[in-house]
Amino acid sequence: MFWRALRRRWESYKYRFVPWIAFNLRHKRRTLRFVPEESKDKIVPDEDVLKTLLKTFRALFINDLRRQMFLLNFLPKLKSKYPELETACSTISKVVDDNQQSQIIFNPEEVLFNTLGFSITRSCSSLVSAGTGVFVTKGLVPKGTVVSMYPGTVYEKYEPIFFQSIGNPFIFRCIDGVLIDGNDKGISKAIYRSCSKRDQFGPLKMSDAFWLTNSMQNPLAVGQYVNNCSTEKSANVCYQEFDVPEYFPIEFKQYLPNIKYSHEVQRPLRCVVLVALQSIGPGEELFSNYYTIIS
């Protein structure tokens, strides 16, 4: 009886994060944002999301070319897609010594700023007792811009996630019931690493695991640390689901901070991006709405 009641309660649950913040939901009704089923929660077209990701990932790929040489040698046809590689490759070959090279390599945050005109980072939140938050450090984020990504293992609604979910505030629920575990610690971290290595083929990585560390490869992959809005701090970003198309360049998959729990699932990889609801300037913290009603 207990498990049947629990299952019915779970199936009727309709909020973004599951399920612990729901206990305080009745005290935070003013922050609810209703998402009609027909809207599919799309703030900007998927084409715009894809364009931003491709632009950013291409810049990251070209910037750190030395680390990409194994992949380029593994898939030599890739070189023909990037005219700038000939110059970069010749630059890399001119090594001054074992520890110094003439190619200028920017850190990922600088690449993001040079590509999209802004950079973001994790830091102590401006909200009391909120822990870590995400801030714009440089530049301006225009309204309607993809400003971050929500990383984590992607679970179909029928896949096992009970033990990972215990005490875990980072599980994001999509409109169709798909779950994304954005916890970068404990069993969640171990499962993501295992799935990422499972899908790797030689030097060809199908996901980004650097978000689990302090050395970020994709500077957008910090969305799980965006805090909930409050009466004093209104939401300036919102969540938007995005399915990675089949034609997504294989060399850029190493920057996708998501991986399927099951390798056998025959559907596009689900990602969640955070989109700016307004212009966001340097020094401002990102705030979302945890309590979105999805159906």
Side-chain angles (χ1 to χ4, degrees), residues 102-290:
S102 55
Q103 183 197 16
I104 299 175
I105 299 178
F106 298 98
N107 67 49
E109 287 185 18
E110 292 173 325
V111 174
L112 183 63
F113 176 75
N114 294 336
T115 305
L116 299 183
F118 67 87
S119 61
I120 58 174
T121 192
R122 293 175 291 185
S123 187
C124 183
S125 176
S126 59
L127 297 178
V128 178
S129 303
T132 302
V134 179
F135 292 80
V136 176
T137 52
K138 289 194 302 182
L140 179 71
V141 181
K143 179 181 178 180
T145 300
V146 174
V147 67
S148 186
M149 301 182 71
Y150 197 97
T153 306
V154 181
Y155 293 83
E156 297 297 317
K157 54 186 176 182
Y158 55 82
E159 292 180 325
I161 195 174
F162 176 76
F163 289 106
Q164 301 91 299
S165 69
I166 297 175
N168 182 355
F170 295 106
I171 297 181
F172 180 96
R173 181 175 181 174
C174 297
I175 291 175
D176 57 2
V178 169
L179 302 174
I180 300 180
D181 182 4
N183 195 353
D184 57 7
K185 297 178 177 61
I187 187 173
S188 299
K189 178 179 181 178
I191 289 175
Y192 187 94
R193 283 193 180 278
S194 176
C195 294
S196 183
K197 291 180 180 179
R198 174 202 65 199
D199 291 354
Q200 182 174 343
F201 183 69
L204 187 60
K205 296 180 180 180
M206 306 305 289
S207 63
D208 171 30
F210 283 89
W211 67 272
L212 298 168
T213 71
N214 292 325
S215 303
M216 299 293 293
Q217 175 179 252
N218 175 3
L220 294 174
V222 292
Q224 79 277 35
Y225 284 108
V226 173
N227 283 306
N228 186 46
C229 60
S230 66
T231 53
E232 295 79 22
K233 306 280 188 177
S234 60
N236 53 16
V237 299
C238 65
Y239 302 101
Q240 178 167 322
E241 298 166 24
F242 172 73
D243 288 340
V244 179
E246 291 184 3
Y247 56 84
F248 194 83
I250 195 169
E251 66 270 24
F252 292 164
K253 290 186 176 182
Q254 61 182 299
Y255 301 110
L256 292 172
N258 300 98
I259 192 75
K260 295 178 184 178
Y261 175 76
S262 175
H263 185 68
E264 287 74 29
V265 173
Q266 299 299 314
R267 61 175 293 166
L269 176 67
R270 174 64 52 79
C271 292
V272 171
V273 298
L274 284 83
V275 180
L277 294 171
Q278 61 193 50
S279 295
I280 309 172
E284 292 188 59
E285 184 173 358
L286 304 185
F287 292 104
S288 62
N289 195 325
Y290 286 180

Side-chain angles (χ1 to χ4, degrees), residues 55-102:
K55 183 178 180 180
T56 304
F57 294 172
R58 181 187 178 98
L60 291 169
F61 184 82
I62 297 298
N63 177 69
D64 195 10
L65 193 58
R66 185 181 186 186
R67 194 164 56 84
Q68 306 297 338
M69 291 309 297
F70 288 108
L71 176 60
L72 292 171
N73 291 331
F74 184 71
L75 299 172
K77 290 185 179 180
L78 287 179
K79 295 181 180 180
S80 61
K81 293 175 60 177
Y82 305 99
E84 57 267 61
L85 288 182
E86 287 190 23
T87 303
C89 287
S90 62
T91 302
I92 289 177
S93 64
K94 299 176 182 178
V95 179
V96 178
D97 55 43
D98 293 337
N99 300 314
Q100 183 179 358
Q101 66 182 66
S102 55

